[in-house]
Amino acid sequence: MARSGTPGEGTRPRVRHAGQLGWDDGLYEEGPASGTDSGTGERQAASEESGHRRGGAKRRGKKGRRRVLRWSASVLALLIIGGAGAGYLYYEHLNSNIKKADLTLGDKKMADHKANAAGQTPLNILLLGSDARDNAENQKLGGAKDTFGARPLADVQMLLHVSADRSNMSVISMPRDTMLKIPKCTDPKTKHVYPATVGLEMTNETLGRGGPGCSVATWYELTGITIDHFMMIDFSGVVSMADAIGGVPVCVKSNVYSRNSEGKGSGLKLKKGTTKIKGKQALQWLRTRYGFEDGTDLGRTHAQHMYMNSMVRELRKGTKLTDPGKLTDLAEAVINALTVDKSIDTVKKLYDLAEDLKQVPTKRITMTTMPNVYGTGRLKERVLPKPGDADQLFQMVRDDIPLDGKASKRKKPAAAKKPTASPAEIPVTVRNGTRTETDYPVKGRASAVQTLLAGKGFTRATIDAQSAEAAKRTGILFPTVDMEGNAQAVAKALGIPLTAVKRSADVSGITLTVGADWREDGPYHAPSAEEKTPDSARALNGDDKSACMDIQPGFTW
């Protein structure tokens, strides 16, 4: 029997039921889809009024500014992986409407990227879909009136990774039903502190714990991948951008109607084959669970990947972006729809990111889903990261290995720097981070590693028993550039890969954390990422135009 994705009775009361969760199809209560958007007239009138105001404005003529304006439309491409455009936009107007928030709300500061031999570093962006019903438009689109005013949920979470050489791009989706531990987060506005969870919670709750920065902190804790930016969009943003683009082709293998006997479903109704969808219908596609594949959040994630790949191909064609009026509408829709981190607070900075992204051809874009397994007991309708496979996927991204299996242009990491002191002169702090979600920390691991270091000549190694935060992976942090060579010398002595040596403002000296991957006595055995994406990640190539959704039995017409 297909899993419905509905929470068990053990779910805590404050967590909304799966039929009431954000981008979940169970929220849509407006009946069958007609393919029309009742809010289109209002948006069109607003667009016309806005266009009238802009009509009298003088266009700027400086060449540098024109390049920025021409590529402002690529902000959308940042959310949907690439894109291009032409025309002139109103720079100051767009700048003033960008919504911004803190990048991370967690206590653990993210380490710097490790550059390759050419000095290039990767780019990681967390893409979030919010179910917030904080305005009339989102309430109309989201339904579920009993959730109006509730804390928002991050029901779509995708980590976008662009390789250091900008030759390839990878996306990892985390299913909304994933259960994990959420770190301590502090709301930047209210200063309210949300303590770290003791047990497992649904990943989509992170957004309601202070904002998107808590989602970023949670991803970093889970994956060890340094995140540079986030971008968040809500219901009305999806609709307005889909309208501005002119539609996205999607395919179903049979007629589909997403509505069950209990009235749950997105209301999506499509004929067999390929249909170009936009507006409300595009939102329905992205939220559909009942009717796709096995009726779970996993099928919905796969459908989202198909939509995004198709949208990129439409944008890359450029056919919808040659009309200045349409281009302006698209730019307005993008800026109004997005919330971004404070480090990309201008159109110029968004343009610079777009310049990086547009270098990647669609054939080198790979969409994946975090490998997962179903839980047991009260978590039987929820998923957990799949041991081995999920770690493998995360490590490939950390090591900048392409997920499409093709040879990359990536350059080897930079050679080790020469230490500025002898081992006996290098102080090292050792921490025991071997605790896991199921096991207590191994006693004596910090002391054992201290002894290993002494045997290698590092006689100034000391133990920090007060800081014993759990760490999935063994790593070495250093605070300033002049310490990098010394930190790398420590790593080489113990057989720790140089990619695990990173600069961080979170430490005051060279700090070695013994992770859960080194719970046993003896030398460190570095796990090496195979250059193969696990089959359980369901990789989908950006150039695959044959992708078509399987339809769940009982949801055809």
Side-chain angles (χ1 to χ4, degrees):
M1 179 181 295
R3 298 179 184 271
S4 66
T6 303
E9 294 179 357
T11 304
R12 297 193 300 117
R14 72 181 182 89
V15 180
R16 284 173 270 169
H17 293 289
Q20 300 174 325
L21 285 173
W23 287 58
D24 189 332
D25 49 1
L27 288 175
Y28 201 82
E29 301 176 344
E30 296 186 11
S34 63
T36 61
D37 185 348
S38 61
T40 300
E42 295 176 3
R43 281 193 298 276
Q44 182 177 355
S47 177
E48 290 173 354
E49 181 182 352
S50 178
H52 177 72
R53 291 195 302 268
R54 292 189 300 266
K58 293 182 179 180
R59 299 189 182 279
R60 299 186 177 274
K62 292 183 180 180
K63 185 176 180 180
R65 179 60 58 83
R66 286 182 175 180
R67 292 181 68 247
V68 173
L69 302 185
R70 183 172 67 251
W71 273 98
S72 295
S74 295
V75 178
L76 173 61
L78 293 173
L79 183 69
I80 319 292
I81 316 175
Y88 304 108
L89 305 179
Y90 295 88
Y91 186 76
E92 289 82 1
H93 168 70
L94 295 178
N95 259 358
S96 64
N97 283 287
I98 296 177
K99 297 182 288 292
K100 304 169 285 289
D102 290 347
L103 174 62
T104 178
L105 302 180
D107 286 346
K108 184 177 291 186
K109 296 179 181 179
M110 291 184 283
D112 291 347
H113 286 297
K114 180 67 178 177
N116 62 22
Q120 301 165 317
T121 56
L123 174 65
N124 297 313
I125 305 172
L126 184 62
L127 309 179
L128 301 170
S130 167
D131 80 336
R133 291 163 178 77
D134 51 3
N135 59 50
E137 187 68 11
N138 282 329
Q139 290 173 356
K140 179 172 62 178
L141 292 166
K145 296 179 180 179
D146 59 325
T147 64
F148 289 3
R151 288 190 296 176
L153 298 169
D155 280 344
V156 177
Q157 299 183 39
M158 299 182 180
L159 182 66
L160 183 156
H161 169 82
V162 189
S163 63
D165 61 15
R166 305 305 188 250
S167 68
N168 63 89
M169 191 183 298
S170 305
V171 175
I172 301 177
S173 285
M174 185 184 295
R176 182 213 68 185
D177 292 340
T178 301
M179 303 296 291
L180 42 69
K181 287 188 176 180
I182 302 175
K184 173 185 174 183
C185 293
T186 302
D187 190 313
K189 296 180 180 179
T190 66
K191 306 305 178 184
H192 177 77
V193 176
Y194 294 89
T197 62
V198 177
L200 303 179
E201 301 292 344
M202 277 182 63
T203 183
N204 64 353
E205 286 194 47
T206 56
L207 185 58
R209 296 167 64 89
C214 193
S215 300
V216 169
T218 303
W219 270 82
Y220 182 62
E221 290 274 345
L222 175 68
T223 67
I225 299 170
T226 296
I227 298 173
D228 303 284
H229 305 292
F230 72 77
M231 292 185 173
M232 182 172 69
I233 189 173
D234 58 16
F235 293 150
S236 60
V238 171
V239 171
S240 61
M241 289 197 296
D243 283 341
I245 290 169
V248 176
V250 294
C251 176
V252 290
K253 293 183 178 179
S254 306
N255 293 349
V256 62
Y257 179 42
S258 178
R259 187 75 72 194
N260 65 13
S261 59
E262 298 177 355
K264 295 180 179 179
S266 71
L268 179 71
K269 190 172 186 179
L270 293 176
K271 292 183 179 180
K272 176 182 178 180
T274 300
T275 303
K276 180 170 284 191
I277 60 175
K278 60 181 181 178
K280 185 184 295 185
Q281 203 170 35
L283 179 62
Q284 289 174 329
W285 174 278
L286 293 170
R287 297 175 66 197
T288 292
R289 182 181 68 201
Y290 299 113
F292 282 166
E293 297 187 343
D294 61 355
T296 69
D297 191 53
L298 303 179
R300 172 167 49 198
T301 298
H302 198 213
Q304 290 168 354
H305 291 169
M306 291 183 186
Y307 179 92
M308 292 173 70
N309 278 342
S310 182
M311 193 172 196
V312 172
R313 294 193 296 267
E314 288 295 296
L315 285 168
R316 295 279 174 96
K317 288 178 183 178
T319 55
K320 302 295 183 295
L321 303 179
T322 55
D323 183 311
K326 291 181 179 179
L327 182 58
T328 300
D329 287 344
L330 176 58
E332 294 282 355
V334 169
I335 294 298
N336 291 330
L338 290 179
T339 298
V340 299
D341 67 276
K342 292 178 179 178
S343 65
I344 45 175
D345 57 355
T346 67
V347 173
K348 173 63 170 62
K349 293 177 181 178
L350 289 168
Y351 159 71
D352 290 339
L353 281 178
E355 284 287 278
D356 280 335
L357 295 178
K358 75 185 184 70
Q359 297 179 49
V360 181
T362 54
K363 65 181 179 181
R364 296 303 310 277
I365 295 173
T366 306
M367 298 276 182
T368 64
T369 300
M370 180 195 75
N372 55 83
V373 293
Y374 279 103
T376 58
R378 75 178 185 89
L379 303 181
K380 66 179 179 180
E381 302 293 350
R382 299 286 183 252
V383 298
L384 305 169
K386 185 176 182 179
D389 282 8
D391 293 334
Q392 169 73 6
L393 194 66
F394 298 151
Q395 186 173 339
M396 289 180 72
V397 171
R398 287 197 304 271
D399 292 348
D400 202 22
I401 297 174
L403 298 187
D404 59 8
K406 299 178 182 178
S408 72
K409 304 174 186 175
R410 66 192 180 93
K411 297 175 175 62
K412 294 181 179 179
K417 294 186 176 181
K418 291 183 179 181
T420 60
S422 66
E425 298 174 311
I426 299 175
V428 182
T429 299
V430 184
R431 296 174 175 174
N432 184 353
T434 57
R435 177 171 55 85
T436 70
E437 294 179 356
T438 56
D439 299 303
Y440 289 109
V442 179
K443 292 183 177 180
R445 288 303 296 134
S447 297
V449 173
Q450 180 190 36
T451 300
L452 286 177
L453 282 170
K456 300 291 184 178
F458 293 88
T459 55
R460 294 188 61 188
T462 58
I463 298 172
D464 180 5
Q466 301 303 314
S467 299
E469 291 186 4
K472 294 179 181 294
R473 296 160 292 277
T474 296
I476 299 175
L477 301 178
F478 61 94
T480 58
V481 174
D482 60 301
M483 293 187 184
E484 184 172 8
N486 294 346
Q488 290 178 339
V490 174
K492 291 177 68 175
L494 297 176
I496 298 172
L498 295 187
T499 53
V501 181
K502 296 184 177 182
R503 181 179 175 184
S504 172
D506 206 27
V507 296
S508 58
I510 296 173
T511 303
L512 189 165
T513 300
V514 184
D517 58 349
W518 199 7
R519 289 173 60 87
E520 304 294 331
D521 288 333
Y524 180 72
H525 297 288
S528 58
E530 301 176 7
E531 297 205 4
K532 181 182 183 302
T533 301
D535 292 338
S536 56
R538 299 191 70 183
L540 180 65
N541 185 268
D543 252 7
D544 187 357
K545 299 178 182 178
S546 66
C548 199
M549 281 302 295
D550 288 314
I551 302 306
Q552 184 181 10
F555 288 87
T556 59
W557 56 278

Short mmCIF file of all heavy atoms in Angstrom, two decimals, residues 16-50:
data_model
loop_
_atom_site.label_atom_id
_atom_site.label_comp_id
_atom_site.label_asym_id
_atom_site.label_seq_id
_atom_site.Cartn_x
_atom_site.Cartn_y
_atom_site.Cartn_z
N ARG A 16 1.74 20.63 12.63
CA ARG A 16 0.53 20.48 11.82
C ARG A 16 0.56 19.16 11.08
O ARG A 16 1.60 18.70 10.64
CB ARG A 16 0.41 21.64 10.83
CG ARG A 16 -0.06 22.92 11.49
CD ARG A 16 0.01 24.05 10.52
NE ARG A 16 1.31 24.70 10.60
CZ ARG A 16 1.73 25.58 9.71
NH1 ARG A 16 0.99 25.89 8.69
NH2 ARG A 16 2.90 26.15 9.84
N HIS A 17 -0.60 18.55 10.89
CA HIS A 17 -0.67 17.27 10.22
C HIS A 17 -0.26 17.38 8.77
O HIS A 17 -0.32 18.44 8.17
CB HIS A 17 -2.10 16.71 10.31
CG HIS A 17 -2.48 16.34 11.70
ND1 HIS A 17 -1.95 15.27 12.35
CD2 HIS A 17 -3.32 16.95 12.57
CE1 HIS A 17 -2.46 15.19 13.56
NE2 HIS A 17 -3.29 16.20 13.73
N ALA A 18 0.17 16.26 8.19
CA ALA A 18 0.69 16.29 6.82
C ALA A 18 -0.34 16.83 5.86
O ALA A 18 0.00 17.44 4.87
CB ALA A 18 1.10 14.88 6.40
N GLY A 19 -1.61 16.62 6.12
CA GLY A 19 -2.63 17.17 5.25
C GLY A 19 -2.81 18.66 5.42
O GLY A 19 -3.66 19.26 4.80
N GLN A 20 -2.00 19.25 6.32
CA GLN A 20 -2.13 20.69 6.57
C GLN A 20 -0.78 21.38 6.44
O GLN A 20 -0.61 22.49 6.89
CB GLN A 20 -2.63 20.92 7.99
CG GLN A 20 -3.99 20.30 8.26
CD GLN A 20 -4.37 20.43 9.71
OE1 GLN A 20 -3.54 20.38 10.59
NE2 GLN A 20 -5.64 20.64 9.96
N LEU A 21 0.21 20.72 5.84
CA LEU A 21 1.55 21.28 5.86
C LEU A 21 1.89 22.02 4.60
O LEU A 21 2.03 21.44 3.54
CB LEU A 21 2.58 20.16 6.08
CG LEU A 21 2.64 19.64 7.50
CD1 LEU A 21 3.55 18.43 7.56
CD2 LEU A 21 3.16 20.70 8.44
N GLY A 22 2.03 23.32 4.74
CA GLY A 22 2.63 24.17 3.73
C GLY A 22 2.39 23.83 2.30
O GLY A 22 1.29 23.91 1.79
N TRP A 23 3.47 23.44 1.61
CA TRP A 23 3.39 23.18 0.18
C TRP A 23 2.71 21.84 -0.09
O TRP A 23 2.66 21.36 -1.21
CB TRP A 23 4.81 23.19 -0.41
CG TRP A 23 5.39 24.55 -0.49
CD1 TRP A 23 5.58 25.42 0.54
CD2 TRP A 23 5.85 25.22 -1.66
NE1 TRP A 23 6.14 26.58 0.08
CE2 TRP A 23 6.32 26.48 -1.26
CE3 TRP A 23 5.92 24.86 -3.01
CZ2 TRP A 23 6.86 27.38 -2.16
CZ3 TRP A 23 6.46 25.75 -3.90
CH2 TRP A 23 6.91 27.00 -3.48
N ASP A 24 2.21 21.23 0.95
CA ASP A 24 1.50 19.95 0.83
C ASP A 24 0.20 20.14 0.07
O ASP A 24 -0.52 21.10 0.24
CB ASP A 24 1.19 19.47 2.26
CG ASP A 24 0.66 18.07 2.31
OD1 ASP A 24 0.05 17.66 1.34
OD2 ASP A 24 0.88 17.40 3.33
N ASP A 25 -0.11 19.16 -0.78
CA ASP A 25 -1.33 19.25 -1.57
C ASP A 25 -2.57 19.25 -0.71
O ASP A 25 -3.60 19.77 -1.09
CB ASP A 25 -1.41 18.08 -2.57
CG ASP A 25 -1.14 16.74 -1.92
OD1 ASP A 25 -0.91 16.72 -0.69
OD2 ASP A 25 -1.15 15.73 -2.61
N GLY A 26 -2.53 18.69 0.49
CA GLY A 26 -3.70 18.65 1.34
C GLY A 26 -4.19 20.01 1.78
O GLY A 26 -5.28 20.15 2.29
N LEU A 27 -3.41 21.04 1.56
CA LEU A 27 -3.82 22.37 1.97
C LEU A 27 -4.76 23.02 0.97
O LEU A 27 -5.46 23.95 1.28
CB LEU A 27 -2.59 23.28 2.10
CG LEU A 27 -1.71 22.98 3.30
CD1 LEU A 27 -0.48 23.86 3.23
CD2 LEU A 27 -2.47 23.27 4.56
N TYR A 28 -4.73 22.53 -0.23
CA TYR A 28 -5.48 23.23 -1.27
C TYR A 28 -6.94 22.87 -1.19
O TYR A 28 -7.32 21.72 -1.37
CB TYR A 28 -4.91 22.85 -2.65
CG TYR A 28 -5.28 23.89 -3.67
CD1 TYR A 28 -4.54 25.05 -3.78
CD2 TYR A 28 -6.40 23.73 -4.47
CE1 TYR A 28 -4.89 26.03 -4.68
CE2 TYR A 28 -6.75 24.70 -5.38
CZ TYR A 28 -6.00 25.84 -5.49
OH TYR A 28 -6.34 26.80 -6.38
N GLU A 29 -7.81 23.84 -0.91
CA GLU A 29 -9.21 23.54 -0.61
C GLU A 29 -10.17 24.20 -1.60
O GLU A 29 -11.35 24.30 -1.33
CB GLU A 29 -9.54 24.02 0.81
CG GLU A 29 -8.68 23.36 1.87
CD GLU A 29 -8.99 23.93 3.23
OE1 GLU A 29 -9.61 24.99 3.30
OE2 GLU A 29 -8.60 23.30 4.22
N GLU A 30 -9.65 24.62 -2.75
CA GLU A 30 -10.52 25.39 -3.63
C GLU A 30 -11.15 24.57 -4.75
O GLU A 30 -11.70 25.10 -5.69
CB GLU A 30 -9.70 26.54 -4.25
CG GLU A 30 -9.23 27.51 -3.19
CD GLU A 30 -8.55 28.72 -3.78
OE1 GLU A 30 -8.63 28.91 -5.01
OE2 GLU A 30 -7.95 29.48 -3.04
N GLY A 31 -11.03 23.26 -4.65
CA GLY A 31 -11.69 22.42 -5.64
C GLY A 31 -10.85 22.18 -6.86
O GLY A 31 -9.69 22.54 -6.94
N PRO A 32 -11.42 21.55 -7.91
CA PRO A 32 -10.68 21.17 -9.09
C PRO A 32 -10.04 22.36 -9.77
O PRO A 32 -10.55 23.47 -9.73
CB PRO A 32 -11.77 20.54 -9.99
CG PRO A 32 -12.85 20.15 -9.04
CD PRO A 32 -12.83 21.16 -7.95
N ALA A 33 -8.88 22.08 -10.40
CA ALA A 33 -8.16 23.15 -11.09
C ALA A 33 -8.79 23.41 -12.44
O ALA A 33 -9.16 22.52 -13.16
CB ALA A 33 -6.70 22.74 -11.28
N SER A 34 -8.90 24.66 -12.78
CA SER A 34 -9.41 25.02 -14.09
C SER A 34 -8.31 25.53 -14.99
O SER A 34 -8.51 25.77 -16.16
CB SER A 34 -10.47 26.13 -13.95
OG SER A 34 -9.86 27.29 -13.39
N GLY A 35 -7.10 25.69 -14.39
CA GLY A 35 -5.97 26.21 -15.15
C GLY A 35 -5.98 27.72 -15.19
O GLY A 35 -5.13 28.34 -15.81
N THR A 36 -6.96 28.36 -14.55
CA THR A 36 -7.00 29.82 -14.53
C THR A 36 -6.66 30.30 -13.15
O THR A 36 -6.77 29.58 -12.17
CB THR A 36 -8.41 30.33 -14.91
OG1 THR A 36 -9.35 29.84 -13.95
CG2 THR A 36 -8.78 29.87 -16.30
N ASP A 37 -6.29 31.53 -13.05
CA ASP A 37 -5.90 32.14 -11.77
C ASP A 37 -6.85 33.29 -11.47
O ASP A 37 -6.88 34.28 -12.17
CB ASP A 37 -4.45 32.63 -11.90
CG ASP A 37 -3.94 33.16 -10.57
OD1 ASP A 37 -4.76 33.35 -9.66
OD2 ASP A 37 -2.72 33.39 -10.47
N SER A 38 -7.60 33.11 -10.40
CA SER A 38 -8.58 34.13 -10.07
C SER A 38 -7.94 35.45 -9.70
O SER A 38 -8.60 36.48 -9.71
CB SER A 38 -9.45 33.65 -8.89
OG SER A 38 -8.64 33.43 -7.75
N GLY A 39 -6.63 35.41 -9.33
CA GLY A 39 -5.97 36.64 -8.96
C GLY A 39 -5.27 37.32 -10.11
O GLY A 39 -4.64 38.36 -9.95
N THR A 40 -5.37 36.74 -11.31
CA THR A 40 -4.63 37.29 -12.45
C THR A 40 -5.05 38.70 -12.76
O THR A 40 -4.23 39.57 -13.05
CB THR A 40 -4.83 36.40 -13.69
OG1 THR A 40 -4.35 35.09 -13.38
CG2 THR A 40 -4.06 36.95 -14.88
N GLY A 41 -6.36 38.98 -12.74
CA GLY A 41 -6.85 40.31 -13.09
C GLY A 41 -6.29 41.37 -12.16
O GLY A 41 -5.87 42.44 -12.59
N GLU A 42 -6.27 41.05 -10.85
CA GLU A 42 -5.74 42.01 -9.89
C GLU A 42 -4.26 42.27 -10.15
O GLU A 42 -3.80 43.40 -10.12
CB GLU A 42 -5.94 41.48 -8.47
CG GLU A 42 -7.40 41.35 -8.09
CD GLU A 42 -7.54 40.74 -6.71
OE1 GLU A 42 -6.51 40.50 -6.07
OE2 GLU A 42 -8.67 40.52 -6.29
N ARG A 43 -3.49 41.19 -10.40
CA ARG A 43 -2.06 41.37 -10.65
C ARG A 43 -1.82 42.12 -11.94
O ARG A 43 -0.91 42.91 -12.06
CB ARG A 43 -1.35 40.01 -10.68
CG ARG A 43 -1.09 39.44 -9.31
CD ARG A 43 -0.13 38.28 -9.39
NE ARG A 43 -0.68 37.20 -10.19
CZ ARG A 43 -1.50 36.29 -9.72
NH1 ARG A 43 -1.86 36.32 -8.48
NH2 ARG A 43 -1.96 35.33 -10.49
N GLN A 44 -2.67 41.84 -12.97
CA GLN A 44 -2.50 42.52 -14.24
C GLN A 44 -2.75 44.01 -14.08
O GLN A 44 -2.00 44.85 -14.59
CB GLN A 44 -3.45 41.92 -15.28
CG GLN A 44 -3.28 42.58 -16.67
CD GLN A 44 -4.18 41.93 -17.69
OE1 GLN A 44 -4.85 40.95 -17.40
NE2 GLN A 44 -4.20 42.45 -18.88
N ALA A 45 -3.81 44.35 -13.32
CA ALA A 45 -4.10 45.76 -13.11
C ALA A 45 -2.97 46.43 -12.36
O ALA A 45 -2.57 47.56 -12.67
CB ALA A 45 -5.42 45.91 -12.31
N ALA A 46 -2.44 45.73 -11.35
CA ALA A 46 -1.32 46.29 -10.59
C ALA A 46 -0.12 46.47 -11.49
O ALA A 46 0.61 47.46 -11.38
CB ALA A 46 -0.97 45.38 -9.41
N SER A 47 0.10 45.48 -12.38
CA SER A 47 1.24 45.57 -13.29
C SER A 47 1.09 46.75 -14.23
O SER A 47 2.03 47.47 -14.52
CB SER A 47 1.37 44.27 -14.08
OG SER A 47 2.42 44.36 -15.01
N GLU A 48 -0.15 46.97 -14.73
CA GLU A 48 -0.39 48.08 -15.65
C GLU A 48 -0.16 49.42 -14.95
O GLU A 48 0.44 50.34 -15.51
CB GLU A 48 -1.81 48.00 -16.20
CG GLU A 48 -2.00 46.81 -17.16
CD GLU A 48 -3.46 46.66 -17.56
OE1 GLU A 48 -4.30 47.38 -17.02
OE2 GLU A 48 -3.72 45.82 -18.41
N GLU A 49 -0.64 49.48 -13.69
CA GLU A 49 -0.45 50.73 -12.95
C GLU A 49 1.03 50.99 -12.72
O GLU A 49 1.52 52.10 -12.88
CB GLU A 49 -1.17 50.64 -11.60
CG GLU A 49 -1.02 51.92 -10.78
CD GLU A 49 -1.70 51.79 -9.44
OE1 GLU A 49 -2.39 50.79 -9.24
OE2 GLU A 49 -1.53 52.69 -8.61
N SER A 50 1.76 49.90 -12.35
CA SER A 50 3.19 50.05 -12.13
C SER A 50 3.90 50.44 -13.40
O SER A 50 4.80 51.27 -13.43
CB SER A 50 3.77 48.72 -11.59
OG SER A 50 5.15 48.83 -11.40
#
